[in-house]
Amino acid sequence: MKARAILLMVKLIRRMLLLMKRGGSLPGTIALKLDPAFLTRFAYPDTVIMVTGTNGKTTTSNLIYETIAAAGKKVIANRKGDNLKAGIATLIAAHASWKMQVKAEVIVMECDELNVPKVMQDVPVNIFCINNFFRDQLDRAGEMETIIRRMSGALAHYKGILVLNGDDPNVVRLQDDAPYADVRFFGIAETSRSSEKSDEASEGKFCPRCARPLTYAYYQYSHIGRFHCEQCGFGDVSYRVYGENCDFADRSFMVGATRYHAPQNALYAMYNAVALLGVCEAADISFAYAKAVLDHFELKDGRSEAFLIGGKRCMLNLVKNPTGANETMKFIMEDPSKKIIVIILNDNDQDGCDVSWIWDAHFERLCDHSVTRIVCSGKRAYDMALRFHYGDFAGELTVIEDLEAALAEVRKTTDRPYVIATYTALQPARSVLRRMT
């Protein structure tokens, strides 16, 4: 079929799905089946931004979208996270004219790490932001080294701007694989929560150039921090955007003489905000627009989203790997009040069928006197309960496999409720919580 015929069909299918209040990547999946080179058929705007990484890419890409829109530019993005190649094909087709011209000044694409090479070979990305790399979904992605090697291949001929987290050695190493790129780094200075040692799973212990152990001045979390190789100097980077003077009570940080607010008082949220500024610098967007967005940006769609239920503020958080789980638990335990926590663990394809990662995460952080009760739910509820049993949780440990029944406990409690959900449990949990408000 000719590209325009496929485009017409994609638009019709998407319209039908929208009428049924459904979305997703089905139209793009069909288009790519009929024409694997479908994405090469379009005329793209001058600015095409891609965001990837293990954690934070949805929030970062949405921050970029909001900021560019605030700057008065016509921008499109896959804001709901359809971040595989098929989802991106759906996005592009939905906003294209019959002449195959994308009707936007800027495209912002969140892209799954494994799909980056597939998308970059067809779409003219010219600003590419990489947040971080952590171990994630081993049954789908394999070890993190596999992802990095694929990313390296995609960057071999890349000639755009590469915006990298200079505090992640697994991201910094990509500068060596992108000889034609304009490489720019962002990072955050030592904070009150930084530490000289880390007891968390770290994937950046050795220099990728000479294989010597890396030396850390401090850790932020996991293997994120200020590092260098004493043998070859790997890690000695110059930052284009650098966050300093982090104030967690005010959830803010300084870049230059200006104070910016992060979406929440967590270090990973501040990294997302600094990444936004790194992309603004690359795209020549005034930081003033980013500041205005950050001052009012609210996390939604289940990612650290708040619900008022029975007069109590309930927080819903997504977790999908050890590092994300650890940071979420740190955030929860900042609250000294009595707490009930509902944890929903699924093992569907999108979650990753291997749930062994729960043994790498420090769930012992929740085994504290302030946590009075933990309710485990989802397809692997008993695995989660077993994890807390071996973590010596002293409070009330309950298994309620049914999602709605488990979340009903939120309304009954007098304690502060928190809900933690894996990927496929996130939106169903969000729907239940919204009905309860």
Side-chain angles (χ1 to χ4, degrees):
M1 294 178 69
K2 291 186 177 181
R4 289 185 182 179
I6 296 174
L7 178 61
L8 173 61
M9 181 184 64
V10 168
K11 287 180 176 291
L12 289 174
I13 294 172
R14 182 172 179 271
R15 185 173 298 177
M16 290 172 59
L17 290 172
L18 290 175
L19 289 173
M20 297 166 61
K21 296 184 178 180
R22 294 178 59 187
S25 58
L26 176 61
T29 300
I30 296 172
L32 291 169
K33 284 285 186 182
L34 294 171
D35 180 7
F38 182 65
L39 281 170
T40 68
R41 313 300 184 192
F42 296 89
Y44 290 89
D46 291 338
T47 305
V48 180
I49 301 169
M50 177 182 284
V51 180
T52 197
T54 308
N55 292 340
K57 53 185 176 285
T58 299
T59 299
T60 302
S61 58
N62 282 336
L63 284 169
I64 294 168
Y65 170 88
E66 294 282 357
T67 299
I68 293 174
K73 294 183 179 292
K74 184 172 176 56
V75 55
I76 62 171
N78 50 341
R79 301 196 66 194
K80 293 187 177 180
D82 292 320
N83 61 19
L84 303 183
K85 188 175 183 179
I88 291 170
T90 302
L91 168 73
I92 300 302
H95 294 89
S97 70
W98 298 118
K99 294 182 179 181
M100 309 298 286
Q101 176 81 42
V102 180
K103 296 181 288 186
E105 295 176 87
V106 181
I107 301 173
V108 178
M109 300 183 300
E110 173 192 339
C111 190
D112 169 78
E113 305 94 291
L114 291 178
N115 277 251
V116 165
K118 303 174 186 177
V119 174
M120 287 189 73
Q121 69 183 1
D122 291 346
V123 179
V125 175
N126 60 352
I127 299 176
F128 186 17
C129 176
I130 305 178
N131 275 350
N132 48 58
F133 290 126
F134 301 110
R135 187 183 301 177
D136 185 49
Q137 295 189 10
L138 293 179
D139 53 326
R140 183 178 78 93
E143 286 291 341
M144 195 178 62
E145 186 69 20
T146 303
I147 295 174
I148 295 172
R149 287 180 179 177
R150 291 186 184 182
M151 201 76 65
S152 298
L155 292 173
H157 302 288
Y158 177 67
K159 296 180 181 179
I161 299 174
L162 197 54
V163 182
L164 302 180
N165 183 347
D167 295 340
D168 185 339
N170 300 302
V171 174
V172 172
R173 63 185 281 188
L174 291 174
Q175 69 175 322
D176 293 348
D177 302 311
Y180 306 108
D182 177 0
V183 181
R184 308 181 185 187
F185 294 101
F186 65 88
I188 293 180
E190 187 172 7
T191 76
S192 60
R193 296 181 181 179
S194 304
S195 59
E196 293 183 1
K197 295 182 179 180
S198 175
D199 60 355
E200 299 176 5
S202 297
E203 302 286 348
K205 295 180 179 179
F206 298 97
C207 176
R209 292 176 181 167
C210 67
R212 297 294 182 92
L214 293 175
T215 300
Y216 274 79
Y218 56 86
Y219 291 89
Q220 305 281 33
Y221 62 95
S222 186
H223 55 259
I224 306 296
R226 183 79 303 272
F227 62 90
H228 77 285
C229 176
E230 296 180 355
Q231 178 71 20
C232 70
F234 172 76
D236 294 333
V237 304
S238 296
Y239 296 95
R240 294 290 284 263
V241 178
Y242 197 54
E244 300 178 280
N245 300 317
C246 293
D247 183 337
F248 292 101
D250 187 44
R251 59 178 179 83
S252 67
F253 59 91
M254 300 282 291
V255 171
T258 305
R259 183 161 290 279
Y260 298 86
H261 286 87
Q264 62 188 112
N265 64 339
L267 194 52
Y268 62 83
M270 294 183 183
Y271 269 99
N272 294 337
V274 174
L276 161 66
L277 296 178
V279 171
C280 286
E281 193 268 343
D284 197 25
I285 300 291
S286 170
F287 284 12
Y289 295 112
K291 177 173 170 45
V293 167
L294 288 168
D295 281 346
H296 301 98
F297 186 81
E298 292 184 11
L299 290 164
K300 296 179 180 178
D301 207 26
R303 290 164 167 83
S304 299
E305 186 174 2
F307 302 84
L308 190 62
I309 299 173
K312 302 179 294 293
R313 189 167 181 263
C314 175
M315 295 292 296
L316 172 62
N317 295 272
L318 168 70
V319 298
K320 56 178 184 172
N321 54 49
T323 298
N326 288 339
E327 292 307 297
T328 293
M329 288 185 283
K330 289 177 189 176
F331 171 71
I332 291 173
M333 296 312 293
E334 286 286 319
D335 178 4
S337 59
K338 296 292 185 182
K339 296 177 282 292
I340 174 176
I341 298 173
V342 179
I343 302 184
I344 310 154
L345 178 65
N346 283 347
D347 63 350
N348 297 313
D349 288 343
Q350 290 173 289
D351 302 292
C353 299
D354 181 358
V355 297
S356 63
W357 65 268
I358 67 175
W359 297 93
D360 291 328
H362 289 192
F363 281 103
E364 287 79 6
R365 296 185 193 279
L366 301 182
C367 298
D368 181 85
H369 66 87
S370 67
V371 180
T372 60
R373 186 183 181 197
I374 293 176
V375 178
C376 300
S377 187
K379 293 177 64 179
R380 301 297 289 269
Y382 284 94
D383 295 77
M384 196 72 251
L386 185 65
R387 177 68 183 87
F388 282 108
H389 173 74
Y390 280 107
D392 294 326
F393 177 63
E396 182 182 351
L397 183 60
T398 309
V399 173
I400 304 177
E401 294 180 76
D402 180 73
L403 175 65
E404 294 213 22
L407 291 174
E409 300 301 305
V410 167
R411 189 183 293 279
K412 300 175 184 177
T413 184
T414 57
D415 296 336
R416 175 76 181 274
Y418 288 88
V419 178
I420 300 173
T422 52
Y423 192 80
T424 62
L426 185 69
Q427 292 307 320
R430 183 173 185 257
S431 296
V432 173
L433 292 172
R434 289 181 70 180
R435 292 200 302 269
M436 293 169 64
T437 57

